[in-house]
Amino acid sequence: MADTPIAFQDFAEPHLDGAHRLSVEARWPHRREDWALVMDLSQGVAALDGERVVGTAFVTPFGPVATVNMVIVAEAMRGRGLGRALMERVLTAAGPRATRLTATADGLPLYEKLGFRPVGMIHQHQGVPSEVPAMPDRVAWAETPDLDALAALDRAASGMERRPLLERLARLGRFAVLTADGSVVGFAALRAFGRGEVIGPVVAPDPQAAMALIDFVIADRPGAFLRVDTPDPAVLSAFLESRGLIKAGDGIPMVRGGTAPAEAGPEGDAAPAGPIAKTYALASQALG
């Protein structure tokens, strides 16, 4: 890095176009609006070659946990230590929080050198559903989502304080909710993302409830291009493929400090006291 003219700046709105260009070049599906959502929730760093954005990284604080995300370096700038320099800056910004990220196989060696360890696997499924199921009982669109109830379920499932994210998802999309005895026991968010729409997070007490929530959304969006990122592929991948959402890629969830995420399975600590809930689909690989 010493011989390069790279400058680092706090990521701000003027950097969005350059960051989006990087993701297009890397064949990420993210729209400019998807970058803006992460920016609004996060602290980011932009690496600049003159006025050109050549790298980014973000850290998104969710209470005691932070997610590291949108780590990207222009292809021509790789191999110069820029990725590590960006990571070191956002890890400093994360402070003492436990940090989580989703890695590609290419990024795994760097993250392991920085103290991250793998804790599972994420399968990305996407496509236009080939089978539209019947509307499940007990699931409905929430006209006015009870964000307190949704945040409590999400906290029990993920260990993260993500009400700010849920508030933005409520503005950008919709929530399907599953009720039992008059109480919300599970939910699925739907919003525009990338090529179409993403279903997630999906938080539910058990796999059957998670499948009912996903089926409800699929049934309401016939012909739509849908994406689901599941951290529980052993349970959901076959179900999603049966609905016509084919596996399109993998991600490797990793943690640094603290404990493993709740959705990672036996390595995680017991869920905190409160609702019984588990994360069956992510809001995004960037935000968990």
Side-chain angles (χ1 to χ4, degrees), residues 189-270:
L190 175 72
R191 77 181 195 282
F193 176 85
R195 293 175 57 188
E197 296 171 300
V198 62
I199 304 173
V202 175
V203 174
D206 54 59
Q208 291 70 33
M211 293 176 195
L213 285 158
I214 293 169
D215 267 349
F216 176 86
V217 176
I218 289 174
D220 194 69
R221 303 295 297 137
F225 185 90
L226 300 174
R227 171 171 170 166
V228 178
D229 292 273
T230 179
D232 200 347
V235 171
L236 284 194
S237 277
F239 161 75
L240 293 168
E241 292 200 352
S242 76
R243 296 295 186 253
L245 303 183
I246 63 171
K247 181 185 169 189
D250 293 326
I252 305 164
M254 305 187 77
V255 299
R256 179 178 186 264
T259 57
E263 63 267 27
E267 290 194 53
D269 288 348

Coordinates of all heavy atoms in Angstrom, one line a residue, residues 189-270:
A189 N -40.0 -10.9 5.9 CA -40.0 -9.6 5.2 C -39.8 -9.8 3.7 O -39.2 -10.8 3.2 CB -38.9 -8.7 5.7
L190 N -40.4 -8.9 2.9 CA -40.3 -9.0 1.4 C -40.0 -7.5 1.0 O -40.7 -6.6 1.4 CB -41.6 -9.4 0.8 CG -41.6 -9.4 -0.8 CD1 -40.7 -10.5 -1.4 CD2 -43.1 -9.5 -1.3
R191 N -38.9 -7.4 0.2 CA -38.6 -6.1 -0.4 C -37.9 -6.3 -1.7 O -37.4 -7.4 -2.0 CB -37.7 -5.3 0.6 CG -36.3 -5.8 0.6 CD -35.4 -5.0 1.6 NE -34.0 -5.2 1.4 CZ -33.3 -6.2 1.7 NH1 -33.9 -7.2 2.3 NH2 -32.0 -6.3 1.5
A192 N -37.8 -5.2 -2.5 CA -37.1 -5.2 -3.7 C -35.6 -5.3 -3.4 O -35.1 -4.7 -2.5 CB -37.4 -3.9 -4.5
F193 N -34.9 -6.1 -4.2 CA -33.5 -6.3 -4.1 C -32.9 -6.9 -5.4 O -33.5 -7.9 -5.9 CB -33.1 -7.2 -2.9 CG -31.7 -7.5 -2.8 CD1 -30.8 -6.7 -2.1 CD2 -31.1 -8.7 -3.4 CE1 -29.5 -6.9 -2.0 CE2 -29.7 -8.9 -3.3 CZ -28.9 -8.1 -2.6
G194 N -31.8 -6.3 -5.9 CA -31.2 -6.9 -7.0 C -32.1 -7.1 -8.2 O -32.7 -6.2 -8.6
R195 N -32.1 -8.3 -8.7 CA -32.9 -8.6 -9.9 C -34.4 -8.6 -9.7 O -35.2 -8.6 -10.6 CB -32.5 -9.9 -10.5 CG -31.1 -10.0 -11.0 CD -30.7 -11.4 -11.5 NE -31.6 -11.9 -12.5 CZ -31.7 -13.2 -12.9 NH1 -30.8 -14.0 -12.4 NH2 -32.5 -13.6 -13.8
G196 N -34.8 -8.8 -8.4 CA -36.3 -8.9 -8.2 C -36.6 -8.5 -6.7 O -36.5 -7.4 -6.3
E197 N -36.9 -9.5 -5.9 CA -37.3 -9.3 -4.6 C -36.6 -10.4 -3.7 O -36.4 -11.5 -4.1 CB -38.8 -9.4 -4.4 CG -39.6 -8.3 -5.1 CD -41.1 -8.5 -5.1 OE1 -41.5 -9.6 -5.6 OE2 -41.8 -7.6 -4.6
V198 N -36.4 -10.0 -2.4 CA -35.8 -10.9 -1.5 C -36.8 -11.2 -0.4 O -37.4 -10.3 0.1 CB -34.4 -10.4 -0.9 CG1 -34.6 -9.1 -0.2 CG2 -33.7 -11.5 -0.1
I199 N -36.9 -12.5 0.0 CA -37.7 -12.9 1.2 C -36.7 -13.1 2.3 O -35.9 -14.0 2.3 CB -38.4 -14.2 0.9 CG1 -39.3 -14.1 -0.3 CG2 -39.3 -14.6 2.1 CD1 -40.0 -15.4 -0.7
G200 N -36.8 -12.2 3.3 CA -35.9 -12.3 4.5 C -35.8 -10.9 5.2 O -35.9 -9.9 4.6
P201 N -35.6 -11.0 6.5 CA -35.4 -12.2 7.2 C -36.6 -13.0 7.4 O -37.7 -12.4 7.4 CB -34.9 -11.7 8.6 CG -35.4 -10.3 8.7 CD -35.4 -9.8 7.3
V202 N -36.5 -14.3 7.6 CA -37.6 -15.2 7.9 C -37.2 -15.7 9.3 O -36.2 -16.4 9.5 CB -37.8 -16.3 6.9 CG1 -38.8 -17.3 7.5 CG2 -38.1 -15.8 5.6
V203 N -38.0 -15.4 10.3 CA -37.8 -15.8 11.7 C -39.1 -16.6 12.1 O -40.2 -16.1 11.9 CB -37.6 -14.6 12.6 CG1 -37.5 -15.0 14.1 CG2 -36.3 -13.8 12.2
A204 N -38.9 -17.8 12.7 CA -40.0 -18.6 13.0 C -39.6 -19.6 14.1 O -38.4 -19.8 14.4 CB -40.4 -19.4 11.7
P205 N -40.6 -20.2 14.8 CA -40.3 -21.1 15.9 C -39.8 -22.5 15.4 O -39.2 -23.2 16.2 CB -41.6 -21.2 16.6 CG -42.7 -20.9 15.6 CD -42.0 -19.9 14.6
D206 N -40.1 -22.8 14.1 CA -39.7 -24.2 13.7 C -39.7 -24.2 12.1 O -40.2 -23.2 11.5 CB -40.7 -25.2 14.2 CG -42.1 -24.9 13.9 OD1 -42.5 -24.8 12.7 OD2 -42.9 -24.8 14.9
P207 N -39.1 -25.2 11.5 CA -39.0 -25.2 10.0 C -40.4 -25.2 9.4 O -40.5 -24.5 8.3 CB -38.3 -26.5 9.8 CG -37.6 -26.8 11.0 CD -38.4 -26.3 12.1
Q208 N -41.4 -25.8 9.9 CA -42.7 -25.8 9.3 C -43.3 -24.4 9.2 O -43.9 -24.0 8.2 CB -43.7 -26.8 10.0 CG -43.3 -28.3 9.9 CD -42.1 -28.7 10.6 OE1 -41.7 -28.1 11.7 NE2 -41.3 -29.6 10.1
A209 N -43.1 -23.7 10.3 CA -43.6 -22.3 10.3 C -42.8 -21.4 9.3 O -43.4 -20.6 8.6 CB -43.4 -21.7 11.7
A210 N -41.5 -21.7 9.2 CA -40.7 -20.9 8.2 C -41.2 -21.2 6.8 O -41.3 -20.3 6.0 CB -39.2 -21.3 8.4
M211 N -41.5 -22.5 6.5 CA -42.0 -22.8 5.2 C -43.3 -22.2 4.9 O -43.6 -21.8 3.8 CB -42.0 -24.4 5.1 CG -40.6 -25.0 5.1 SD -40.8 -26.9 5.1 CE -39.1 -27.3 5.5
A212 N -44.2 -22.2 5.9 CA -45.5 -21.6 5.7 C -45.4 -20.1 5.4 O -46.1 -19.6 4.5 CB -46.3 -21.8 7.0
L213 N -44.5 -19.4 6.1 CA -44.2 -18.0 5.8 C -43.7 -17.8 4.3 O -44.2 -16.9 3.6 CB -43.3 -17.4 6.8 CG -43.8 -17.1 8.2 CD1 -42.7 -17.1 9.2 CD2 -44.6 -15.8 8.2
I214 N -42.8 -18.6 3.9 CA -42.2 -18.5 2.6 C -43.3 -18.8 1.6 O -43.4 -18.2 0.5 CB -41.0 -19.4 2.4 CG1 -39.8 -18.8 3.3 CG2 -40.5 -19.4 1.0 CD1 -38.6 -19.7 3.5
D215 N -44.0 -19.9 1.8 CA -45.1 -20.3 0.9 C -46.1 -19.1 0.7 O -46.6 -18.9 -0.4 CB -45.8 -21.5 1.4 CG -45.2 -22.8 0.8 OD1 -44.4 -22.7 -0.2 OD2 -45.6 -23.9 1.2
F216 N -46.4 -18.5 1.8 CA -47.4 -17.4 1.7 C -46.9 -16.3 0.8 O -47.6 -15.8 -0.1 CB -47.6 -16.8 3.1 CG -48.5 -15.6 3.1 CD1 -49.9 -15.7 3.2 CD2 -48.0 -14.3 3.1 CE1 -50.7 -14.6 3.2 CE2 -48.8 -13.2 3.1 CZ -50.2 -13.3 3.1
V217 N -45.6 -15.9 0.9 CA -45.1 -14.9 0.1 C -45.0 -15.3 -1.4 O -45.4 -14.6 -2.3 CB -43.7 -14.5 0.6 CG1 -43.1 -13.4 -0.4 CG2 -43.7 -13.9 2.0
I218 N -44.6 -16.6 -1.6 CA -44.5 -17.1 -3.0 C -45.9 -17.1 -3.6 O -46.1 -16.7 -4.8 CB -44.0 -18.5 -3.0 CG1 -42.5 -18.5 -2.7 CG2 -44.2 -19.2 -4.3 CD1 -41.8 -19.9 -2.5
A219 N -46.9 -17.5 -2.8 CA -48.3 -17.5 -3.4 C -48.8 -16.2 -3.7 O -49.6 -16.0 -4.6 CB -49.2 -18.2 -2.4
D220 N -48.3 -15.1 -3.0 CA -48.8 -13.8 -3.3 C -48.0 -13.1 -4.4 O -48.4 -12.0 -4.9 CB -48.7 -12.9 -2.0 CG -49.4 -11.6 -2.1 OD1 -50.6 -11.7 -2.1 OD2 -48.7 -10.6 -2.1
R221 N -46.9 -13.7 -4.8 CA -46.0 -13.1 -5.9 C -45.8 -14.0 -7.0 O -44.7 -14.3 -7.4 CB -44.7 -12.7 -5.2 CG -44.8 -11.8 -4.0 CD -45.3 -10.4 -4.4 NE -44.4 -9.7 -5.3 CZ -44.8 -9.1 -6.4 NH1 -46.1 -9.0 -6.7 NH2 -43.9 -8.5 -7.2
P222 N -46.9 -14.6 -7.6 CA -46.7 -15.4 -8.8 C -46.0 -14.7 -9.9 O -46.3 -13.6 -10.3 CB -48.1 -15.8 -9.2 CG -49.0 -14.8 -8.6 CD -48.3 -14.3 -7.4
G223 N -45.0 -15.4 -10.5 CA -44.3 -14.8 -11.7 C -43.1 -13.8 -11.3 O -42.4 -13.3 -12.1
A224 N -43.0 -13.6 -10.0 CA -41.9 -12.7 -9.5 C -40.6 -13.4 -9.4 O -40.6 -14.6 -9.1 CB -42.3 -12.1 -8.2
F225 N -39.5 -12.7 -9.6 CA -38.2 -13.3 -9.4 C -37.8 -13.1 -7.9 O -37.7 -12.0 -7.4 CB -37.1 -12.6 -10.3 CG -35.7 -13.2 -10.2 CD1 -35.3 -14.2 -11.0 CD2 -34.8 -12.8 -9.2 CE1 -34.1 -14.8 -10.9 CE2 -33.6 -13.3 -9.1 CZ -33.2 -14.3 -9.9
L226 N -37.7 -14.2 -7.2 CA -37.5 -14.2 -5.7 C -36.2 -14.8 -5.3 O -35.7 -15.7 -6.0 CB -38.6 -14.9 -5.0 CG -40.0 -14.5 -5.3 CD1 -41.1 -15.4 -4.7 CD2 -40.2 -13.0 -4.8
R227 N -35.6 -14.3 -4.2 CA -34.4 -14.8 -3.7 C -34.5 -15.0 -2.2 O -35.2 -14.3 -1.5 CB -33.3 -13.7 -3.9 CG -31.9 -14.1 -3.2 CD -30.8 -13.1 -3.6 NE -29.6 -13.3 -2.7 CZ -28.4 -12.8 -3.0 NH1 -28.2 -12.1 -4.1 NH2 -27.4 -13.0 -2.2
V228 N -33.9 -16.2 -1.8 CA -33.9 -16.5 -0.3 C -32.5 -17.0 0.0 O -31.9 -17.8 -0.7 CB -34.9 -17.6 0.0 CG1 -34.8 -18.0 1.5 CG2 -36.3 -17.2 -0.4
D229 N -31.9 -16.4 1.0 CA -30.6 -16.8 1.5 C -30.8 -17.5 2.8 O -31.2 -16.9 3.8 CB -29.6 -15.6 1.7 CG -29.3 -15.0 0.4 OD1 -28.3 -15.4 -0.2 OD2 -30.0 -14.0 -0.1
T230 N -30.6 -18.8 2.9 CA -30.9 -19.6 4.1 C -29.6 -20.0 4.8 O -28.7 -20.6 4.2 CB -31.8 -20.8 3.8 OG1 -32.0 -21.5 5.1 CG2 -31.2 -21.7 2.8
P231 N -29.5 -19.8 6.1 CA -28.4 -20.3 6.9 C -28.6 -21.7 7.4 O -27.8 -22.2 8.2 CB -28.2 -19.3 8.0 CG -29.6 -18.8 8.2 CD -30.3 -18.8 6.9
D232 N -29.8 -22.3 7.0 CA -30.1 -23.6 7.5 C -30.4 -24.5 6.2 O -31.6 -25.0 6.1 CB -31.4 -23.5 8.4 CG -31.5 -24.8 9.2 OD1 -30.8 -25.8 9.0 OD2 -32.3 -24.8 10.2
P233 N -29.4 -24.7 5.4 CA -29.7 -25.4 4.1 C -30.1 -26.8 4.3 O -30.9 -27.3 3.4 CB -28.4 -25.3 3.4 CG -27.3 -25.0 4.4 CD -28.0 -24.2 5.5
A234 N -29.7 -27.5 5.4 CA -30.1 -28.8 5.6 C -31.6 -29.0 5.7 O -32.2 -30.0 5.3 CB -29.4 -29.4 6.8
V235 N -32.3 -27.9 6.2 CA -33.7 -27.9 6.4 C -34.4 -27.3 5.2 O -35.4 -27.9 4.7 CB -34.1 -27.2 7.7 CG1 -35.6 -27.0 7.8 CG2 -33.5 -27.9 8.9
L236 N -33.9 -26.2 4.7 CA -34.7 -25.5 3.7 C -34.3 -25.6 2.2 O -35.1 -25.3 1.4 CB -34.7 -24.0 4.1 CG -35.6 -23.5 5.2 CD1 -35.7 -22.0 5.2 CD2 -36.9 -24.1 5.2
S237 N -33.1 -26.0 1.9 CA -32.7 -26.0 0.5 C -33.6 -26.9 -0.3 O -34.0 -26.5 -1.4 CB -31.2 -26.5 0.4 OG -30.4 -25.4 0.6
A238 N -33.9 -28.1 0.1 CA -34.7 -29.0 -0.7 C -36.1 -28.4 -0.9 O -36.7 -28.5 -2.0 CB -34.8 -30.4 0.0
F239 N -36.6 -27.8 0.2 CA -38.0 -27.2 0.1 C -37.9 -26.0 -0.9 O -38.8 -25.9 -1.8 CB -38.4 -26.7 1.5 CG -39.4 -25.6 1.4 CD1 -40.8 -25.9 1.2 CD2 -39.1 -24.3 1.7 CE1 -41.7 -25.0 1.2 CE2 -40.1 -23.3 1.6 CZ -41.4 -23.6 1.4
L240 N -36.9 -25.2 -0.9 CA -36.9 -24.1 -1.8 C -36.7 -24.6 -3.2 O -37.3 -24.0 -4.2 CB -35.7 -23.2 -1.4 CG -35.9 -22.4 -0.1 CD1 -34.6 -21.8 0.4 CD2 -37.0 -21.4 -0.2
E241 N -35.9 -25.6 -3.5 CA -35.8 -26.1 -4.8 C -37.1 -26.7 -5.3 O -37.4 -26.6 -6.5 CB -34.7 -27.2 -4.9 CG -33.3 -26.5 -4.7 CD -32.2 -27.4 -5.2 OE1 -32.4 -28.6 -5.5 OE2 -31.0 -26.9 -5.2
S242 N -37.9 -27.3 -4.4 CA -39.2 -27.9 -4.8 C -40.1 -26.8 -5.2 O -41.1 -27.0 -5.9 CB -39.8 -28.6 -3.6 OG -40.3 -27.8 -2.6
R243 N -39.9 -25.5 -4.8 CA -40.7 -24.4 -5.2 C -40.2 -23.7 -6.4 O -40.7 -22.7 -6.9 CB -40.8 -23.4 -4.0 CG -41.5 -23.9 -2.8 CD -43.0 -24.2 -3.1 NE -43.8 -24.6 -2.0 CZ -44.2 -25.8 -1.7 NH1 -43.9 -26.8 -2.5 NH2 -44.9 -26.1 -0.6
G244 N -39.0 -24.2 -7.0 CA -38.5 -23.6 -8.2 C -37.4 -22.6 -7.9 O -37.0 -21.9 -8.9
L245 N -37.0 -22.4 -6.7 CA -35.9 -21.5 -6.3 C -34.6 -22.3 -6.3 O -34.3 -22.9 -5.3 CB -36.2 -20.8 -5.0 CG -37.5 -20.0 -4.9 CD1 -37.6 -19.3 -3.6 CD2 -37.7 -19.0 -6.1
I246 N -33.8 -22.2 -7.4 CA -32.7 -23.1 -7.5 C -31.5 -22.5 -6.7 O -31.4 -21.3 -6.4 CB -32.3 -23.3 -8.9 CG1 -31.8 -21.9 -9.6 CG2 -33.4 -23.9 -9.7 CD1 -31.2 -22.1 -10.9
K247 N -30.6 -23.4 -6.3 CA -29.4 -23.0 -5.6 C -28.5 -22.2 -6.6 O -28.2 -22.7 -7.6 CB -28.7 -24.1 -5.0 CG -27.4 -23.8 -4.2 CD -26.7 -25.0 -3.7 CE -25.3 -24.6 -3.2 NZ -24.4 -25.8 -2.9
A248 N -28.1 -21.0 -6.2 CA -27.3 -20.2 -7.1 C -26.0 -19.7 -6.5 O -25.2 -19.0 -7.2 CB -28.1 -18.9 -7.4
G249 N -25.7 -20.2 -5.3 CA -24.4 -19.8 -4.7 C -24.3 -20.1 -3.3 O -25.3 -20.5 -2.7
D250 N -23.1 -20.0 -2.7 CA -22.9 -20.3 -1.3 C -22.2 -19.1 -0.7 O -21.5 -18.3 -1.3 CB -21.9 -21.5 -1.1 CG -22.5 -22.8 -1.6 OD1 -23.7 -23.0 -1.4 OD2 -21.8 -23.7 -2.1
G251 N -22.4 -19.0 0.6 CA -21.6 -18.1 1.5 C -21.2 -18.8 2.7 O -21.8 -19.8 3.1
I252 N -20.1 -18.3 3.3 CA -19.6 -18.9 4.5 C -19.7 -17.9 5.7 O -19.0 -16.9 5.7 CB -18.1 -19.3 4.4 CG1 -17.9 -20.1 3.1 CG2 -17.6 -20.0 5.6 CD1 -16.5 -20.3 2.7
P253 N -20.7 -18.1 6.6 CA -20.8 -17.2 7.8 C -19.6 -17.4 8.7 O -19.1 -18.5 9.0 CB -22.1 -17.7 8.4 CG -22.3 -19.1 8.0 CD -21.7 -19.2 6.7
M254 N -19.1 -16.3 9.2 CA -17.9 -16.3 10.0 C -18.1 -15.3 11.2 O -18.9 -14.3 11.1 CB -16.6 -15.8 9.2 CG -16.4 -16.6 8.0 SD -14.8 -16.2 7.2 CE -13.6 -17.1 8.3
V255 N -17.4 -15.6 12.3 CA -17.5 -14.8 13.5 C -16.2 -14.4 14.0 O -15.2 -15.2 13.8 CB -18.4 -15.4 14.6 CG1 -19.8 -15.7 14.1 CG2 -17.8 -16.7 15.1
R256 N -16.1 -13.3 14.7 CA -14.8 -12.9 15.4 C -15.2 -12.3 16.7 O -15.9 -11.3 16.8 CB -14.1 -11.9 14.5 CG -12.8 -11.3 15.1 CD -12.3 -10.3 14.1 NE -10.9 -9.8 14.4 CZ -10.7 -8.7 15.0 NH1 -11.7 -7.9 15.4 NH2 -9.5 -8.3 15.3
G257 N -14.8 -12.9 17.8 CA -15.1 -12.5 19.1 C -16.5 -12.9 19.5 O -17.3 -13.3 18.7
G258 N -16.9 -12.8 20.8 CA -18.2 -13.2 21.2 C -18.5 -14.6 20.9 O -17.6 -15.5 21.0
T259 N -19.8 -14.9 20.6 CA -20.2 -16.3 20.3 C -20.7 -16.4 18.9 O -20.9 -15.4 18.2 CB -21.3 -16.7 21.3 OG1 -22.4 -15.8 21.1 CG2 -20.8 -16.7 22.7
A260 N -20.8 -17.6 18.5 CA -21.4 -17.9 17.1 C -22.8 -17.4 17.0 O -23.5 -17.4 18.0 CB -21.3 -19.4 16.8
P261 N -23.2 -16.9 15.8 CA -24.6 -16.5 15.6 C -25.6 -17.7 15.9 O -25.2 -18.8 15.7 CB -24.7 -16.1 14.2 CG -23.5 -16.7 13.5 CD -22.4 -16.9 14.6
A262 N -26.7 -17.3 16.4 CA -27.7 -18.3 16.8 C -28.0 -19.2 15.6 O -28.3 -20.4 15.8 CB -29.0 -17.6 17.3
E263 N -28.0 -18.7 14.4 CA -28.4 -19.5 13.3 C -27.4 -20.5 12.9 O -27.6 -21.4 12.0 CB -28.9 -18.7 12.1 CG -27.8 -17.8 11.5 CD -27.8 -16.4 12.1 OE1 -28.2 -16.3 13.2 OE2 -27.3 -15.5 11.4
A264 N -26.2 -20.4 13.5 CA -25.1 -21.3 13.0 C -25.2 -22.7 13.6 O -24.4 -23.6 13.3 CB -23.7 -20.7 13.4
G265 N -26.1 -22.9 14.6 CA -26.3 -24.3 15.1 C -25.6 -24.5 16.4 O -25.5 -23.7 17.2
P266 N -25.0 -25.7 16.6 CA -24.5 -26.2 17.9 C -23.4 -25.4 18.4 O -23.2 -25.4 19.6 CB -24.1 -27.6 17.6 CG -23.9 -27.7 16.1 CD -24.9 -26.8 15.5
E267 N -22.7 -24.6 17.6 CA -21.6 -23.8 18.1 C -22.1 -22.6 18.9 O -21.4 -22.0 19.7 CB -20.6 -23.4 17.0 CG -19.8 -24.5 16.4 CD -18.7 -24.0 15.6 OE1 -17.9 -23.2 16.1 OE2 -18.6 -24.4 14.4
G268 N -23.3 -22.2 18.6 CA -23.8 -21.0 19.3 C -24.3 -21.3 20.7 O -24.6 -22.4 21.0
D269 N -24.3 -20.2 21.5 CA -24.9 -20.4 22.8 C -26.4 -20.6 22.8 O -27.0 -20.4 21.7 CB -24.6 -19.1 23.7 CG -23.1 -19.1 24.0 OD1 -22.4 -20.1 23.8 OD2 -22.6 -18.0 24.5
A270 N -27.0 -21.0 23.9 CA -28.4 -21.1 24.0 C -29.0 -19.7 23.7 O -28.5 -18.7 24.0 CB -28.8 -21.6 25.4

